[in-house]
Structures are given as structure tokens and as C-alpha cells.
Amino acid sequence: MQLLQALVDGLLIGGVYGVVSIGLSLVFGVMNIVNFAHAAFLMLGMFVAWFAWAFLGLDPLLGAFLSFVLVFAFGCAVQQVLVRPILAAPQVAQIFLTVGLLIVLENAALMAFGADFRSVQTPYQTSAFRLGGIIVSKPYLYAFAMALLSGAAVWAFLERTAVGRAMRATAQDPMAATLMGIDTQRMHRLAFGVGVGLTAFGGAVILPYLTVSPTVGSHYVVLMFTAVVLGGLGSVAGAVVGGIAVGVIQSVSALVFPIQLQNLVLFVVFILVLALRPDGIVRRRGA
Amino acid sequence: MSALSLPKRCSALARPRALLLAALAAAAAIVPLFLDPQGYWVRVLTLTLIFAALGQAWNIVGGLANQISLGHAAYFGVGAYASTILLINFGLSPWIGLFVGMALAVVVALVLSVPTFRLKGHYFALATLAAGEALRVIANSWQGVTGGPVGLSVPFMPDSFWMMSYGAPRPFYWIALAALVLVTLVFWWIKSSALGYRLRAVKENEQAAEVVGVNTFRAKLWASLVSAAATAAIGVVYVQFTYFFDPDAVFGVATVSVRLALVAIVGGIGTVIGPVVGALVVVPLEELVNAALQGQVAGLSAFVYGAILIAVILVEPRGLVALFGRLRRGLGRRPGGAGEAGR
Amino acid sequence: MAQNTRFPVTRRSLLAGGAAALAAPLAAPFVSRLARAQDPVNVGVVVPLSGANAQFGINSRNGIQLVADEINKAGGIKSLGGAPINLVVADSTSTPATAASVAQRMISQNQVVSVLGAFASSLTIAISEVTERRQLPLLTMSFSDIITGRGFKNVFQVVNKASTIGAAQFDYTMAIAKRLGVDASKVAILYEDTAYGTSQSEGLRKAAKDAGLDIVMDEAYPHGITDVTPLINKLRGSGAQMVFPVSYLNDSLLIIRTMRQQGLTIPAIGGAAGYVIPDFHKGLGELAEGVLSIAPANWDLAPDYTDRFRERFGYFMVHEALEHAVCMGVLREALEKSASRDPQAVREALATGTHNEGWSSVMTGDGVRFDETGLNANAFPVMVQWRDGELRTVHPAKVAKIEPIWSVKAG
């Protein structure tokens, strides 16, 4: 029973980890960049959803769409101005550009929004469904459903649309893609925008049970990287699987080990998986 | 610290640069004589030298072999904790603790090498990041030994070289300078040794290096052991200098791992002078921005600091040393003799 | 912060100011150290103005700013010829070594007579290493036991130590339960694994053991936890009749919400930090009603003072703002008494006697008196409770503003 409860909790929370990580994976797949500032876009998405709730009365589950749109547009601009110039630069330069971006975004948010911890109040946020002896938290379940929905939408976009196919082609072989007449720069911009927009969406749907402040992203950085690496950098489906794996490991390990060590367990699994399967649990397939 | 102590392998071409560096070090050694021995600038410069030395230690694997580690805090923290725990519980001199810390860091590096050395590029960076974080969690939870999240205070002692304890920052300036010179010499020696050539082969193309018979695993292992030991030793100097630390201060991603790699990267990785230039920019810059914007709206100083980092990377992704090279070539219109320093 | 004080910053003024200020630290050593009577008295304020603790740093700065402005409006330090207080405020960041550098800078270049700060214990300890060596008084409201536990001569802690606060969190609760006729013998302790959480939970644990109660759960969790469900699952299984969580805001909201989700209605008695700030009530609304917490001090103990804060900044005077204001008030008294700008003379004045004029009297315990370790011997913690959207003092009875209640709103 305890184990079943832990599995359910882990699955729900893990689905959300997965969706906020998809963008990280997508950006890596298409541009070969590890974006350390990714979690800052999660924070931006949460702020957008909070303001939508506070001033428009929108439930964060709906505000999430606004988060996606605004952060998507912002992400495209960031890609154009900051990321594009260093695409050809050494890997270390890319890492530190995104680290700098993280510092800038966090502190810009601090100056613009203040350091308050903001949270929303929704009718469902402190209730749960009871199935037999299992408690299923409503905000977790809704966030999970929204997360899967957006994950499926991205998958359909990549697999079924012309733009999505062009994006995957860019990921596989930029040179060939260019020769085929694909505007790879536009693809990069779109991929970055969709990637961070999706994370913002994920941030919005978890707002009903969390609080947002400028540094909220820092709690997610390591979780996102773990999810993405477990699933295989660059793989969208892998990110979801990796996210769920992270959630389940965290919640099941709490049955055996002190909760204080939940991240240690996670890191050990992480390093072992890398050692045994350096390409992640899910083999990379396209973007 | 004269040119004589340099290995014979240094080519005749390198000798003027060796002399130049020796002169720089000598000049650096007399700087604090002109500053308030207890003052702010000695403190900032000491931190600068410590981070220059750390960047140089990172440079041994990060620069020569292009193995981008984001987990060097693991070694730094192990050194810091080992020596301080020995000092507090057994009154052992930090100089001895320093060797214990180095030995432990070598063990950690050995253990980590097994799962991480097969990884390439970003995977290696992220795996090392996780390793550093894992050690932070351990230091936080293992309260009986490490003091846990409350942190450890280095006991207050009278000035003594043997106990590496001084009330004023000035002696630490010289200790940090000595550490920087030592690590730089080690870096230089490795760079111009057979190991250095093997590491460069790893950097250019690991598979090709394997094909021509380079044992890449062993080359990377040696470099990483030396780098780990040096990082741990500097960790000891750092905590003796700051007197107090907690797990975040020595195992933190942002406070240590990323910062020391940043120092090397801003300067220019793989070059002898890069980490020194990088540290001279990164550390005082943070202080100057903080001082300039004190009393301003919260977050502004950190914001400006981040923006300057972005600007540096955008202007010259290969670091400041490359930028200087470019400027000099542009100004003097002569193919720079030291242009090689940029890469 | 955003709604309180905005500093008009145009890009041009920023650039010009930045350039001038960049040059200033270089020139400062050559500035004469001889002060004239009306020259301002420089006081250093080192608090986190970026990173995870920024909100608390901003609150702290606001508290100090309020008192400094009041002093200056009232004619400055009279025994120094009416010299005004000039605050030198800087960001400590989240790194102890940087906080220490900032303090060092203020001492060397701004000739501050004293440093106030730095909210987080790790930052305060790092700063105290500098101030002790430079023989300059440091006034703080950080809780850690280490701060005054090292035999330092120049550090002054205006609040109780973490272990005392933790013990009171437990003892006061028991006293309230007894008074209201509530029977509770099984308790759970949850704490974040930070310096604050760990040291306060030690006091809590010891008090519970001394009282012979059954601690059915005693668990640390990682700071910045994103999902507390495993924690609350364990709590539900433990059969605890009350829970003592020691955490910052994010975790405290998660804990209370998840408890209510699971239908767990046992009372939670918070450990200050996340439980006693306006955002707690804003985030939980009705659910916050009736939640008890320990606090080192509370605004309603001296509303005639703390209302000035509410008027100026728009929210009630949270405890870190209050205690930092007390630091400034105590420093003012010491400056008056010593009639000197010499840090050691000010230190002597701080260490002697009771400080009970103006803002010094706002702290619990009839003024501030430092013992030989620098700890405020008069202070005692208070138990507070959220009632009708306000944080009210309910225990000890001698200072309580209203009667405590023992009820929890179910979600």
C-alpha cells in the first residue's frame, strides 16, 4: 500500500518534472547547447501565471497558455540576440553564457517583481481524490494531466507538422538541412522558444501547489538535468521518461532512506546509469 | 621561484615567457607591502590569487584535455573538510591536513573516474556536477563528522606559520601566491611533457588518439588526479583564510564549481596565463560592482555582474587572452609571437 | 519590495554613478580619517539583497533604514554634536566569503563604526571573523548558537539562540495545550537541513525528550524540496498528534497544503521563518488561521513603534525587520553614551548596562542587556498565532495580546 502510494505520488510529480525538462532536451537536441538558464524560464512562466491569476483572475492551469506564449516570444528574442552568436563557440563559452543569463534573469526578476514569495489560491489546491486507500492530490493530478497534454502536443508538432520535421532535420544534420532549403536559424529560434515556453507552461501548472520567487528555479536545475540525462540528452520522449524516473526514485527512496538523502540516491542512480548506459535509458531518436 | 626551477623541457622559445612570468610573480609578491596589511584590497587580491590557482588547477583537465568538469567543488570541499576536521579534533597542523586532503581528493577522483571517463562533452560536465552535489548532500547529512549544515569554524589561534593561522590577510596573500606559482609550474610542466601531448591528442580527437596508441584513459586519469590534489590543497588555504565554511560554501555549484571554471574560461582555457587573467577580472569585478552599486535597489549589483559576464563571452568566446591577442595583432599589425597563447 | 521603495534609476545616472563609484574605493584610502563633529557616523549594513534570502535582507534593510531616518530627523547623535547616521548598505550575496569581503571593505573604506547584519547565520559568522579581528562591534539577529559561542568580544546577538528558540517552540506549546486542556503526547519534528533548521530542531528535540514525550517522527529534509508528499505520508503513518515544522516559506506552504490535502488536521506549530511573514497568510488564506509559531519577537508587542514601519512600507513589521531596528536602536544608545566614533569605545558602551530607550525597548524583556558572550540576556521568544489575518502574540501570558486557541481549519 505504502509502495503503491509512493508510486502514484512519484508518477504524478515525475510527469511534471518530465515536461519542464522537455525544453532542455529539445534545445540540446537541436542546438547542442546545455542551457543552465533553463530553470529561470520556469520562474518566468510562474510569474506570468501568478500575474494572470492576480489581475485577470485566471486559474494557473489556464494562465499556463499565456505563460507559454509570452515566454516563447521572449525565448525567441533571447536566442536571436544572445545564443545565436555563440553557437559556433567552444562548449565552455556556451555553458557560461547561459550561466550569465541565469544570473541576469534571476536578478532582473528580483528588481522587477520583488523578492516576495507569491502563491495563488485555488479551490482544488488542498483537496484530493481517495481511491481505496490511495490519496491522489488534485493539484498534482491536474498538473500531471496538463503536463502530459503539452508533452503530447510537442510530440505531435515534431512528428506531424512540416515545421516539426524541419526542426528534427536540423537536429540531425544542420548542413543537409540547409541544403534542403530549411532555414536552420529560424529552426533554432523556434526550438529555443518552444523549449523555454514549454518549461514556462510547466511552471504555471505547478503554481497551484508551489510559490514563486526569483530563485525558485534553482530548486529545479539539478532535477531537470538528471531527468534529461537519464532519458538521454536530446530526446523528447526520454525527458518524460527521465522525469517520471526522477519522481519515482525520489518518492520510493523515501520509504527506505531518510528523506534528507533523496537527492543523494538520485545522484547515485544518475551516475550509475551514465556509467552503464552513457546515452540514457531511452536511446536517442531524432530530436 | 626563478626560471631555474622550470623543467629543462621548456624550449628556448618559451624562456622569455618564463622570465616574464617570474618577473610578474616577483612583482606580485611585493604588492601587499604597499597596502594596508589588514585591509580590503589585500583581502580581495588574496581571494583573486586563490581563484587564479583554482582556475589553473581546473585548467589541467579542463584546458589541456577539454574535459569540462563542473564538479571540482568535490575536491575543494574534501580538502577543506579533511584539514579542518583534523585541526579541530586532533590539533593537527593544516599543512599536514593539506596532504591528507590531497590524498582523499585523489581517492575521490579515482572513484569518479570509473563512471565518468567514458562520457563525452556535456555528459561529462553534468555527471561531474552531480558528483559535486552528491558530496554536498553527504557533508550536509553526516552531521557527526562534518558538523552538518551549521558549518565549521576554524579555531582562533595566535599567528603561526605552522598552524597556517594569521589574524591579518597579508600572510595568506603570500601563501596563495605561492600556491598559484606552484600550480602554474605544474600546469606548465604537464603541458610541455609527454602527458601534455597525450592530453592534447584527447582534446583534438579522442578516438583518433586511441587509434594511434595513446592510452587516453590513463592520460586523463593522471591529469585529473593532479588537478584534484591541487584543488584540495587550495581548499585548505581557502578555509584557513576565511575561518568559517558550511557545505554550501565549499561544495556549492555556483560558489565553487562554476566559479573556478569561469575563472579559467573568462581568461582563456588551456593557456598558462588564462586563469590568472580570468581571476584578475572575475573576482575584483564582482567586488567593484558590489561596491559601486551599494545602497542601490536589491539585485542590481548581481544583475550587472551577470550582464558583464555575458558581454565578455559575446565579445570573445575564447576568453580575454584571445581578445588581447586579437587586439595586439590588430594594433601592431604583426603576427603575434604569443598568439599561440590564445589557443 | 517592489511596492515599497523604488529607487529611480535611469541608465545615464547609473552609468555616471557607477563610474564614479568604481573609482571611489581606489581613492578612499587617501581620504582623511579625521572626522569633524557634524560628519556623519557611518554604519555598515550587510544583508542579502540577491539570491534566495533577498526578501529577508530587504525587510532587514527597511527596518534599519526606518530607525536611522528617525534618528536623523530627531537631530542625529547629540553627544557627537548632532552627527547624523549614514548607512552604508551592501549586498552580502549568498556566499560567506563575499559577505566577509563586503564587511572588510566597509571597515577599510567607509570607516564604519559598527556593522549590522546579515540575517543568515552563515553570513553573520563569516562577517564576525572580520569584525573580531578588526575590533569592531557587529550587531546581529541571526539565531545560530555558534555566533556568541566562540568567545568573541565584538559580536552582539539581540535575539535568543536557536536552541533556546527551539526549546521554547516546544515548551510554550505544551503550556498552551495544558492551559486549554488539550492532551497530546505524540509529537513529530520536521526540519529543513540548513543551519537554522538543524540548530533550532536540536533545542526542540531536547525539550521534547526532557518532557518525556514520544517523538514519533524526527526527520530532516533537503532545503528547497519540491515535493513534500513522502514527508507527509510518513507523518500520517506516524500517528503524531502535533507537528513542529522548522522551515522557510516555500516548504511551510507545501507542508500545510499537503497535510490538508491528506485530511491531516493535527496542529502545526511553526518554527518562525516561513510561518511569520505576510506571504504565509497571503498564500494560505483561511488555512493560515489558527496556525501557531514561535518567534523571537513580534510587532504587536510595541505597536506604537512598529506601526510606523507599516505606514511607511505597507506591511506589518516582520520580526527580522524589528530585530534589525532594535540593533540600530541599541547602537544609537551606545553612540550617545560613549560620545565617541571609536569602535572600541562603542563596544564598551554596548557591553555595559541595559539599553532601553526608544527602539531598544521594542525587543522582548524590558530593554537589551548583553552578557559577557554578547548575547542579549533579557530577550525571550514569544508564541504567535494567525488570527483574522494578523499575527498576534498569545504566549507567555505576561506579554500576550490575546488568548490562544487550539483549532485547525480543515481544507
Side-chain angles (χ1 to χ4, degrees):
Chain A
M1 199 56 155
Q2 264 190 339
L3 183 65
L4 194 60
Q5 177 76 54
L7 283 173
V8 169
D9 293 337
L11 179 74
L12 292 182
I13 195 86
V16 173
Y17 292 161
V19 165
V20 296
S21 312
I22 288 178
L24 192 61
S25 208
L26 189 68
V27 169
F28 178 84
V30 176
M31 269 168 283
N32 205 23
I33 277 188
V34 173
N35 181 10
F36 277 82
H38 199 70
F41 292 96
L42 178 95
M43 176 267 295
L44 291 181
M46 290 174 88
F47 266 115
V48 171
W50 187 88
F51 282 106
W53 172 81
F55 295 106
L56 305 176
L58 271 186
D59 188 289
L61 295 178
L62 298 174
F65 293 94
L66 192 62
S67 296
F68 177 85
V69 171
L70 290 181
V71 175
F72 167 82
F74 179 64
C76 289
V78 167
Q79 200 280 338
Q80 179 73 16
V81 177
L82 298 178
V83 180
R84 195 177 49 87
I86 49 102
L87 279 180
Q91 181 199 346
V92 287
Q94 299 169 346
I95 290 179
F96 282 97
L97 180 96
T98 61
V99 169
L101 186 59
L102 173 68
I103 300 175
V104 164
L105 287 179
E106 255 185 32
N107 289 288
L110 175 60
M111 287 188 282
F113 310 134
D116 293 348
F117 301 90
R118 298 166 191 268
S119 56
V120 299
Q121 290 179 28
T122 63
Y124 52 84
Q125 104 197 117
T126 49
S127 47
F129 296 108
R130 268 153 230 274
L131 306 170
I134 301 294
I135 296 175
V136 182
S137 150
K138 281 187 192 171
Y140 277 34
L141 184 68
Y142 298 159
F144 179 75
M146 293 296 280
L148 284 202
L149 205 74
S150 61
V154 171
W155 181 82
F157 164 72
L158 287 175
E159 295 286 328
R160 297 290 148 84
T161 66
V163 181
R165 275 194 290 272
M167 201 178 278
R168 281 190 295 141
T170 310
Q172 271 163 5
D173 190 341
M175 189 68 89
T178 313
L179 291 174
M180 298 294 291
I182 293 172
D183 181 352
T184 52
Q185 297 215 349
R186 178 162 162 261
M187 288 305 129
H188 285 163
R189 205 159 53 236
L190 273 180
F192 197 88
V194 169
V196 298
L198 205 55
T199 300
F201 186 91
V205 300
I206 56 178
L207 189 58
Y209 61 89
L210 284 177
T211 50
V212 55
S213 67
T215 54
V216 66
S218 63
H219 305 322
Y220 284 86
V221 181
V222 178
L223 293 180
M224 284 183 189
F225 282 134
T226 314
V228 166
V229 173
L230 283 182
L233 273 170
S235 155
V236 167
V240 175
V241 175
I244 291 176
V246 169
V248 171
I249 292 168
Q250 275 194 339
S251 104
V252 172
S253 73
L255 298 178
V256 189
F257 299 105
I259 292 171
Q260 194 182 11
L261 297 182
Q262 65 173 199
N263 285 344
L264 183 64
V265 175
L266 196 61
F267 297 141
V268 171
V269 173
F270 173 83
I271 292 172
L272 285 181
V273 167
L274 273 181
L276 301 173
R277 291 191 71 151
D279 291 327
I281 310 171
V282 179
R283 291 277 174 214
R284 186 170 166 193
R285 191 180 65 88
Chain B
M1 213 282 346
S2 70
L4 289 177
S5 58
L6 291 171
K8 290 196 187 83
R9 252 193 223 90
C10 284
S11 65
L13 222 149
R15 197 153 290 149
R17 269 169 61 207
L19 285 172
L20 181 70
L21 284 182
L24 269 179
I30 57 170
V31 164
L33 297 178
F34 303 103
L35 297 168
D36 173 8
Q38 295 241 335
Y40 168 60
W41 279 107
V42 179
R43 185 183 162 87
V44 172
L45 290 175
T46 306
L47 281 172
T48 306
L49 290 171
I50 287 174
F51 271 92
L54 285 169
Q56 197 69 283
W58 183 89
N59 212 7
I60 295 171
V61 273
L64 294 182
N66 203 28
Q67 298 287 304
I68 307 304
S69 158
L70 294 179
H72 259 54
Y75 315 127
F76 186 77
V78 163
Y81 270 105
S83 88
T84 310
I85 289 168
L86 291 173
L87 175 62
I88 291 174
N89 295 327
F90 307 105
L92 205 63
S93 158
W95 293 109
I96 297 173
L98 185 143
F99 286 99
V100 177
M102 286 167 80
L104 284 174
V106 163
V107 173
V108 173
L110 268 174
V111 172
L112 287 181
S113 70
V114 179
T116 60
F117 273 17
R118 286 169 58 207
L119 306 172
K120 309 265 179 291
H122 297 299
Y123 283 100
F124 179 80
L126 294 176
T128 49
L129 183 90
E133 275 291 280
L135 283 175
R136 188 182 65 80
V137 175
I138 293 174
N140 229 4
S141 333
W142 198 6
Q143 219 177 329
V145 175
T146 61
V150 177
L152 290 178
S153 250
V154 175
F156 204 101
M157 283 180 194
D159 284 8
S160 142
F161 178 76
W162 174 239
M163 296 312 275
M164 211 197 286
S165 177
Y166 296 98
R170 194 194 267 169
F172 286 107
Y173 177 96
W174 285 312
I175 294 175
L177 182 63
L180 172 61
V181 169
L182 265 176
V183 182
T184 303
L185 289 179
V186 168
F187 173 82
W188 205 338
W189 177 72
I190 289 181
K191 191 180 178 182
S192 46
S193 71
L195 178 58
Y197 291 109
R198 279 186 222 118
L199 290 171
R200 219 160 305 157
V202 170
K203 178 179 181 170
E204 297 305 332
N205 187 335
E206 193 162 347
Q207 268 146 1
E210 286 276 3
V211 171
V212 297
V214 174
N215 186 338
T216 58
F217 187 91
R218 193 186 285 174
K220 285 196 283 185
L221 187 61
W222 276 114
S224 115
L225 296 185
V226 172
S227 177
T231 308
I234 302 159
V236 177
V237 175
Y238 178 80
V239 294
Q240 287 297 125
F241 172 62
T242 57
Y243 310 109
F244 168 79
F245 62 100
D246 59 9
D248 275 344
V250 293
F251 281 123
V253 175
T255 45
V256 184
S257 285
V258 166
R259 210 149 180 255
L260 64 86
L262 184 68
V263 158
I265 290 160
V266 167
I269 71 170
T271 63
V272 175
I273 198 75
V276 181
V277 173
L280 272 172
V281 171
V282 169
V283 181
L285 177 74
E286 194 181 5
E287 286 294 329
L288 284 175
V289 171
N290 189 302
L293 299 174
Q294 69 187 15
Q296 297 288 346
V297 57
L300 185 62
S301 61
F303 176 85
V304 171
Y305 176 66
I308 294 177
L309 289 187
I310 292 182
V312 169
I313 301 273
L314 284 181
V315 170
E316 179 49 75
R318 286 173 301 150
L320 291 170
V321 172
L323 181 65
F324 296 151
R326 225 169 65 186
L327 287 177
R328 202 164 62 179
R329 275 195 299 281
L331 290 174
R333 269 190 301 279
R334 61 191 157 89
E340 177 254 353
R343 220 21 356 209
Chain C
M1 155 79 238
Q3 67 272 33
N4 312 326
T5 32
R6 272 199 189 278
F7 296 82
V9 180
T10 64
R11 196 168 56 166
R12 188 175 302 159
S13 77
L14 191 65
L15 288 174
L22 280 171
L26 296 166
F30 308 108
V31 174
S32 162
R33 279 164 193 262
L34 294 171
R36 288 184 308 275
Q38 296 79 13
D39 279 352
V41 178
N42 289 343
V43 173
V45 178
V46 190
V47 286
L49 296 174
S50 60
N53 284 327
Q55 188 191 32
F56 306 103
I58 292 167
N59 290 341
S60 305
R61 185 194 63 188
N62 288 350
I64 296 169
Q65 188 74 55
L66 176 77
V67 179
D69 290 352
E70 287 184 7
I71 294 170
N72 292 345
K73 207 182 251 174
I77 305 294
K78 309 217 167 49
S79 69
L80 289 172
I85 299 286
N86 175 41
L87 296 181
V88 184
V89 187
D91 183 6
S92 66
T93 75
S94 318
T95 312
T98 307
S101 291
V102 170
Q104 180 93 62
R105 180 176 80 222
M106 290 178 170
I107 298 169
S108 301
Q109 299 187 342
N110 303 100
Q111 287 89 45
V112 297
V113 297
S114 173
V115 175
L116 313 182
F119 182 74
S121 295
S122 60
L123 303 175
T124 306
I125 295 169
I127 292 173
S128 73
E129 298 286 358
V130 169
T131 52
E132 186 67 15
R133 283 165 178 84
R134 298 300 299 262
Q135 306 267 298
L136 189 99
L138 166 69
L139 286 139
T140 184
M141 54 63 67
S142 297
F143 298 174
S144 174
D145 288 38
I146 297 183
I147 292 170
T148 47
R150 292 165 300 171
F152 279 17
K153 294 269 173 288
N154 295 285
V155 64
F156 298 93
Q157 196 171 17
V158 300
V159 294
N160 293 104
K161 295 187 287 191
S163 57
T164 311
I165 295 174
Q169 188 181 352
F170 180 82
D171 293 338
Y172 287 5
T173 307
M174 286 300 134
I176 292 172
K178 199 173 161 195
R179 209 158 87 208
L180 299 177
V182 182
D183 180 44
S185 58
K186 288 183 181 170
V187 300
I189 302 173
L190 311 179
Y191 59 100
E192 57 167 46
D193 66 347
T194 59
Y196 146 70
T198 317
S199 33
Q200 188 164 326
S201 70
E202 269 165 28
L204 188 54
R205 186 175 305 114
K206 189 172 173 300
K209 277 193 184 137
D210 289 350
L213 255 69
D214 196 4
I215 304 176
V216 291
M217 180 178 173
D218 186 355
E219 184 110 21
Y221 62 85
H223 176 55
I225 192 168
T226 50
D227 170 30
V228 298
T229 324
L231 206 59
I232 303 304
N233 284 343
K234 260 190 197 179
L235 177 64
R236 194 156 43 97
S238 74
Q241 291 160 311
M242 57 181 151
V243 55
F244 295 92
V246 184
S247 60
Y248 278 109
L249 184 82
N250 211 14
D251 319 345
S252 67
L253 290 196
L254 277 173
I255 287 172
I256 302 283
R257 281 180 183 157
T258 311
M259 277 174 64
R260 301 304 179 249
Q261 262 173 33
Q262 303 203 355
L264 210 55
T265 52
I266 59 173
I269 299 97
Y275 295 84
V276 293
I277 56 177
D279 290 340
F280 182 78
H281 196 274
K282 275 192 220 157
L284 288 176
E286 276 290 285
L287 291 182
E289 283 299 313
V291 171
L292 287 159
S293 174
I294 195 72
N298 196 27
W299 67 274
D300 67 357
L301 297 178
D304 40 335
Y305 283 89
T306 57
D307 279 353
R308 298 180 214 155
F309 183 94
R310 198 195 291 251
E311 235 161 74
R312 174 159 168 189
F313 297 106
Y315 56 100
F316 77 81
M317 192 167 199
V318 289
H319 80 85
E320 67 269 16
L322 189 156
E323 292 140 17
H324 273 107
V326 170
C327 289
M328 188 65 235
V330 170
L331 180 63
R332 183 200 68 84
E333 275 187 64
L335 283 166
E336 284 291 4
K337 287 174 194 162
S338 67
S340 165
R341 297 161 186 270
D342 172 32
Q344 275 308 294
V346 177
R347 192 214 85 88
E348 287 310 317
L350 278 169
T352 330
T354 303
H355 312 283
N356 54 9
E357 294 168 20
W359 277 96
S360 312
S361 68
V362 176
M363 197 60 206
T364 54
D366 298 329
V368 175
R369 183 176 58 82
F370 296 110
D371 66 13
E372 65 282 0
T373 66
L375 180 68
N376 179 1
N378 285 2
F380 56 87
V382 292
M383 187 63 87
V384 294
Q385 187 167 38
W386 284 101
R387 299 281 285 278
D388 300 323
E390 293 276 12
L391 193 65
R392 305 310 304 269
T393 306
V394 294
H395 192 86
K398 58 178 172 178
V399 294
K401 297 294 165 190
I402 53 176
E403 275 294 300
I405 51 168
W406 192 273
S407 81
V408 164
K409 285 254 167 41

